[in-house]
Amino acid sequence: MSDREWAAGQRPDGLPAALSDPVRLAAVAATGLLDSGPEAIFDDLASLAARITGAGRAFVTLVDAERSVWKSCVGVEADGVAALPDRENPERESLVRDGPVRTSPVRENPVRENPVRESFCYFLVGLGGAPFVVEDARTDPRTRDHPAVGPMRIGAWAGFPLLSPDGQVLGGFCVVDESPRVWSSADLATLATLARSVSTEIHLRQTLAESRSAHRVSADLAHTLQQGLLPPALRPVPGLEAAASYLPASLVDRSDVEVGGDFYDLFHTHGPYYGAVLGDVCGKGVEAAQVTSLARYTIRADAGSTASPADLLDRLNTAMLDQRAPRFLTAVYTTFRVTRAGVAGRIALAGHPPGLVRRADGRVQQLGTPGTLLGVLKTVSLTDVRYRLAPGDLLLLYTDGASEARPRPGTRSGEARALFGEEELAAALAATHGMDAGVTVKEIGGVLAAHHGGWASDDTALLALRVPPRS
């Protein structure tokens, strides 16, 4: 064919210039199929084309600048070639020129190809995506001098392009008959449909690979953001043990990637005073992360200017309304100082579950007065409650993932087990009598995991402060 017949001109070697187009080559490489072995799905489509048209051979090819790579070659004796396993039918039969032959269930991962100038597929690339049909390759002026006509015994050839979503020609889907023949309109319609099916399969694979890659990036970003919303390590408080844990909710859909709304912090406020906060933002995702960040930094910024937890949480409520925070939250905040007798502090609840105090003798008591959640009403009702911790006493703050734990819905264990409520949590805390803060948090986490079977229905944050017993 002359250069005027190629859609994008001709290379110095006489082949279509489109073969070397960087955009097309990038699209071919992006398929991930170059230099890959045979696969059942492509062999099945090629076998179907050979059977329906009655041609002896069928090919699925990817074409780069110099090679025509056979992703599937039905009816061709290829030494050492073995199909990928077909798990449902490992002895799947393929059509060959002389009759059916069984394919081996063992993959040898061969590379099957020929130089692009010895392949009719360059016609598909050069014609810019139009089909190429030859009824008598030996007499057709376009192909009679083609180097493959004799060696490959090509009598008739019919091929349709494999296209990327943006129209780049990736290769071809073709059938070959040893004898000249007239291809019927039904033959050509079948080939066009099967070629579109192959193109769709390739595109779906790319989309899935891109989606998985994007999911990994999103998961990494979500993990990084979540870690940024939690302190890397709790600040040491002289004379006090402190431990915390955070368990994100289990995902119903593994493709979901979300940042949770639970958070905790422990920090120095002023003089001998420290502050500890634990909160639960409604919902998940970017909006929840925004509210978490606003809450943590507002509390840290204002903690040194007020000794009242209720006042500080009221200020946070005002800040959330002023900033038009997209989510509400519940929180518990305590300010305290370490004394010779243990810990003296005050605590306030803003729509949050009460704190639990485990006394040195094992008794467990609730701590705090219920108050209004934050980010909804201009006027909130919040109350400071004073408390003391003696040597051996422990204060546990938690989110409702710990007091409302339940097994996965729809499972037998979920139907048999009741909600793990505040009474169960208090009993689990009492069972940790004598344990230090770190072991206590670990044990509570283990009890929750045993109840919900490793499927957390909600994010769960725990924060424990303990006065060490005297020697």
Side-chain angles (χ1 to χ4, degrees):
M1 297 180 69
S2 68
D3 60 349
R4 287 175 295 181
E5 295 180 83
W6 302 130
Q10 185 171 281
R11 295 193 317 196
D13 61 1
L15 296 180
L19 285 169
S20 302
D21 177 40
V23 176
R24 191 193 75 83
L25 292 176
V28 174
T31 66
L33 298 179
L34 282 174
D35 302 324
S36 63
E39 295 182 53
I41 187 169
F42 297 109
D43 284 349
D44 288 344
L45 292 170
S47 296
L48 183 61
R51 183 167 63 252
I52 291 176
T53 62
R57 286 168 283 169
F59 296 79
V60 175
T61 62
L62 282 299
V63 181
D64 63 14
E66 303 297 336
R67 303 174 300 159
S68 176
V69 179
W70 307 348
K71 185 62 183 173
S72 176
C73 55
V74 171
V76 175
E77 295 290 350
D79 294 338
V81 172
L84 281 174
D86 185 335
R87 299 185 184 279
E88 295 183 356
N89 185 12
E91 295 186 343
R92 180 178 51 82
E93 295 185 343
S94 296
L95 293 177
V96 294
R97 183 173 61 257
D98 300 321
V101 63
R102 296 187 184 278
T103 57
S104 166
V106 180
R107 175 180 177 176
E108 298 176 13
N109 196 26
V111 176
R112 305 168 295 177
E113 62 183 60
N114 60 348
V116 70
R117 66 168 44 257
E118 298 177 10
S119 169
F120 274 25
C121 285
Y122 71 71
F123 288 101
L124 297 172
V125 178
L127 293 173
F132 185 66
V133 179
V134 177
E135 296 180 347
D136 188 343
R138 295 177 179 86
T139 62
D140 193 303
R142 299 171 298 175
T143 59
R144 62 191 176 195
D145 297 324
H146 195 284
V149 172
M152 293 194 67
R153 299 190 296 277
I154 301 177
W157 195 95
F160 284 76
L162 302 179
L163 301 175
S164 69
D166 59 353
Q168 297 297 323
V169 181
L170 307 173
F173 184 87
C174 70
V175 290
V176 181
D177 200 311
E178 287 191 11
S179 302
R181 62 176 287 178
V182 175
W183 301 102
S184 69
S185 58
D187 291 336
L188 299 180
T190 297
L191 292 175
T193 299
L194 293 177
R196 287 194 297 270
S197 298
V198 174
S199 298
T200 300
E201 170 67 18
I202 293 173
H203 178 50
L204 288 175
R205 290 178 176 217
Q206 289 179 261
T207 301
L208 179 59
E210 292 168 359
S211 175
R212 287 173 174 169
S213 177
H215 181 269
R216 286 192 295 269
V217 172
S218 297
D220 290 343
L221 290 174
H223 177 73
T224 300
L225 179 56
Q226 188 73 68
Q227 294 303 308
L229 297 175
L230 299 172
L234 292 178
R235 179 190 178 100
V237 178
L240 192 68
E241 299 171 359
S245 70
Y246 170 77
L247 175 68
S250 302
L251 299 177
V252 175
D253 183 348
R254 291 184 180 274
S255 65
D256 293 337
V257 180
E258 292 186 304
V259 181
D262 288 11
F263 66 95
Y264 60 82
D265 201 1
L266 175 63
F267 53 93
H268 179 253
T269 60
H270 64 285
Y273 289 94
Y274 290 83
V277 63
L278 188 142
D280 185 355
V281 179
C282 172
K284 301 180 185 299
V286 175
E287 290 185 344
Q290 292 174 340
V291 177
T292 296
S293 180
L294 171 65
R296 275 196 64 199
Y297 293 109
T298 297
I299 287 174
R300 275 185 170 248
D302 289 356
S305 61
T306 178
S308 166
D311 182 44
L312 183 60
L313 294 176
D314 195 349
R315 295 186 188 190
L316 173 57
N317 183 66
T318 299
M320 291 178 65
L321 295 176
D322 289 345
Q323 297 293 324
R324 297 182 180 179
R327 304 290 179 91
F328 63 84
L329 69 82
T330 69
V332 52
Y333 176 72
T334 177
T335 181
F336 61 88
R337 63 186 177 91
V338 179
T339 67
R340 291 182 178 181
V343 163
R346 288 192 281 183
I347 191 171
L349 308 176
H352 204 81
L356 294 177
V357 175
R358 186 194 69 197
R359 296 299 180 185
D361 60 7
R363 292 177 298 119
V364 173
Q365 303 168 332
Q366 290 189 342
L367 179 63
T369 299
T372 312
L373 56 81
L374 308 178
V376 178
L377 304 174
K378 288 185 177 181
T379 302
V380 292
S381 176
L382 304 169
T383 305
D384 286 337
V385 174
R386 295 180 181 272
Y387 67 92
R388 290 185 178 276
L389 300 180
D393 290 349
L394 178 143
L395 170 62
L396 178 68
L397 307 179
Y398 56 93
T399 57
D400 56 11
S403 59
E404 297 179 1
R406 66 196 73 200
R408 179 190 288 270
T411 62
R412 289 185 177 181
S413 60
E415 296 170 357
R417 300 178 194 170
L419 180 73
F420 190 91
E422 292 186 0
E423 291 184 3
E424 288 73 21
L425 181 60
L429 180 60
T432 64
H433 175 221
M435 297 180 184
D436 64 26
V439 176
T440 297
V441 167
K442 183 177 180 179
E443 287 293 316
I444 295 295
V447 171
L448 293 172
H451 182 81
H452 57 56
W455 187 85
S457 60
D458 197 1
D459 301 328
T460 305
L462 302 173
L463 175 60
L465 305 174
R466 178 180 184 248
V467 180
R470 290 174 179 167
S471 301

